[in-house]
Amino acid sequence: AELGGCELQRVAQCPVAVGSFKEVQHPSPLRILTRTSCCGRGWSKAKVDVDGRPAKPLKEAGCFRIPPRERDDRRGKGTLNVRFDDVPAHMLPGESTEVTASWGPGEPKNMKVEVSSLLWIYWVPPADDDDDEESVELQEGEEPAPPPSGMVYIAVSKDDVPEEAEPVEGVLRCPGAENDQMSLDGRYMGPFYIRRPPRMDDEEDVEEEMCLLSKVEVAIQPPTGFDYEMRNPSPMEERCSELGGCELERMQSCPQVIGYMRPTPRPPLKLSLRTSCCNRPYCGAALGVNGRVPRAIDGEEPLEVARRVNGGSLRLQMQDVPPYLLRGGTSELFENYSAFEPSSINLEVSCPVWVYWLPNDDEEEGD
């Protein structure tokens, strides 16, 4: 355009630059975003090390900016080895504190790591006292002492579930969660996954949001012999209302009591001692229960014993009854009972009969 004429001769003299290639920098993930599934907040105690560098704490929002790589290492693609400290492994992807972040063309600038809100729900039945004082005779007109209650718990780690724990039957509700209702089948204790619906914006402000764990409630169908009393408000709701923030990290310290299994009244166990021949009391007999002082049991009114909540065993010591008339030929008997059965125990005094004859003496026959 400037000189006109044929360009071929001019190009033949030397190459002509028609453009250039600019090096494209392929950054590593700029940030690690570690958020809880229940409210999207960061895990305050978490520390992160990348490719073996000294671990550094996450910011309050669960964000960690990855240090830039050396200039000669910025081309192509590769991976970064990331390790989390002070975050429970079972809450992280793959139940591992180590994850791999890819970098290179087309890789995202943010690496998202979710801390899962996992719940175990169970109850611990009331423990019977090892002492035999609970199974004692009741005086006339005396009411049994109120039995101890069982407790219903929520834990965020399987390691916190004790061996004596039992599953519950009912419904787990969490309004606002991705799955806001889950069935409790009486066989499975967890984990139950609490997750808020997916959000598009990584920069969203979650400080004004109430943690989903504050909204968890458990409606329980109690087992036979118990009534369920739910704590209202729950301890999670109380703390979130007072302290705010994420409840998941606070629940890690110990399981939370969310309700009580109150035993329904257990009827006293009635003991009687009667003969097998006419079903009358054995006059003069006395009965000791679990090593206590024997009491008369020769009247029409039975002797009443308070039951253990979960049932138990009675050691009965008979006095003033010939042992051979009792079961097993011994004055010490053992009887088992459950929370409601049997309603009474009759200790039978057998009525054995020996039939025999005496032959005449020879001398008497001579007389």
Side-chain angles (χ1 to χ4, degrees):
E2 180 180 351
L3 302 176
C6 182
E7 185 65 17
L8 177 60
Q9 287 180 286
R10 291 191 288 265
V11 174
Q13 294 178 5
C14 68
V16 178
V18 296
S20 63
F21 288 102
K22 185 178 180 180
E23 180 183 0
V24 178
Q25 301 293 331
H26 302 308
S28 61
L30 295 180
R31 297 182 306 169
I32 296 177
L33 302 177
T34 306
R35 305 277 175 84
T36 59
S37 67
C38 49
C39 60
R41 291 178 171 86
W43 192 269
S44 65
K45 299 177 183 178
K47 297 179 181 178
V48 177
D49 82 44
V50 179
D51 286 340
R53 300 179 184 179
K56 294 184 178 181
L58 291 176
K59 292 184 178 180
E60 234 176 84
C63 174
F64 178 79
R65 189 171 295 278
I66 296 177
R69 300 191 307 278
E70 298 295 332
R71 184 176 183 82
D72 294 341
D73 190 30
R74 294 181 186 178
R75 302 178 184 179
K77 58 182 179 179
T79 58
L80 296 172
N81 296 314
V82 180
R83 191 187 81 241
F84 293 91
D85 292 339
D86 300 327
V87 182
H90 73 276
M91 296 182 181
L92 293 171
E95 299 188 7
S96 173
T97 57
E98 297 184 2
V99 296
T100 300
S102 299
W103 57 269
E107 294 293 341
K109 294 182 178 181
N110 294 329
M111 173 188 172
K112 300 178 183 179
V113 178
E114 183 180 78
V115 181
S116 298
S117 180
L118 304 174
L119 303 182
W120 281 260
I121 301 174
Y122 59 94
W123 79 292
V124 176
D128 281 325
D129 193 345
D130 289 336
D131 193 353
D132 289 329
E133 291 298 314
E134 190 177 348
S135 296
V136 297
E137 312 99 291
L138 297 176
Q139 303 296 328
E140 184 176 354
E142 181 184 2
E143 293 294 330
S149 299
M151 293 188 179
V152 182
Y153 292 88
I154 285 185
V156 296
S157 172
K158 184 179 180 180
D159 294 338
D160 290 333
V161 180
E163 291 184 1
E164 63 272 20
E166 295 185 9
V168 297
E169 185 177 351
V171 178
L172 167 64
R173 298 188 181 95
C174 185
E178 190 174 36
N179 184 3
D180 61 0
Q181 183 167 303
M182 288 168 267
S183 175
L184 308 175
D185 61 6
R187 299 188 300 270
Y188 181 68
M189 288 187 275
F192 299 96
Y193 181 36
I194 302 297
R195 188 175 190 270
R196 62 183 189 153
R199 311 292 176 91
M200 298 299 295
D201 186 7
D202 292 331
E203 302 294 341
E204 62 181 325
D205 183 12
V206 298
E207 291 306 313
E208 299 301 322
E209 292 188 17
M210 187 77 83
C211 179
L212 282 179
L213 294 179
S214 69
K215 304 175 183 180
V216 167
E217 65 176 46
V218 182
I220 290 178
Q221 178 65 40
T224 302
F226 290 88
D227 292 324
Y228 178 58
E229 179 184 325
M230 181 173 63
R231 286 185 63 179
N232 189 17
S234 72
M236 297 87 74
E237 182 180 354
E238 286 182 317
R239 280 195 300 267
C240 284
S241 298
E242 180 180 353
L243 304 175
C246 181
E247 182 63 15
L248 179 62
E249 194 167 349
R250 291 191 287 261
M251 289 179 67
Q252 188 199 7
S253 61
C254 66
Q256 303 298 304
V257 177
I258 60 169
Y260 305 93
M261 294 286 195
R262 305 292 191 191
T264 53
R266 269 46 171 174
L269 179 60
K270 298 180 180 181
L271 304 177
S272 59
L273 181 70
R274 293 182 177 273
T275 60
S276 63
C277 54
C278 58
N279 200 35
R280 288 185 171 85
Y282 191 90
C283 295
L287 175 64
V289 179
N290 293 337
R292 298 176 70 86
V293 176
R295 289 177 56 190
I297 192 173
D298 57 356
E300 291 294 334
E301 292 298 322
L303 182 66
E304 293 189 344
V305 174
R307 295 175 187 262
R308 292 177 180 267
V309 173
N310 301 317
S313 177
L314 297 177
R315 180 167 59 91
L316 307 174
Q317 299 88 32
M318 304 298 306
Q319 284 191 357
D320 300 323
V321 180
Y324 71 87
L325 298 182
L326 297 171
R327 185 183 67 210
T330 176
S331 296
E332 186 172 77
L333 305 175
F334 292 88
E335 295 286 347
N336 296 320
Y337 63 93
S338 67
F340 294 94
E341 297 293 337
S343 60
S344 62
I345 295 176
N346 179 43
L347 305 171
E348 186 178 79
V349 180
S350 63
C351 184
V353 175
W354 286 265
V355 179
Y356 61 93
W357 71 288
L358 294 176
N360 291 329
D361 190 359
D362 292 339
E363 293 183 359
E364 293 179 356
E365 290 181 0
D367 295 338

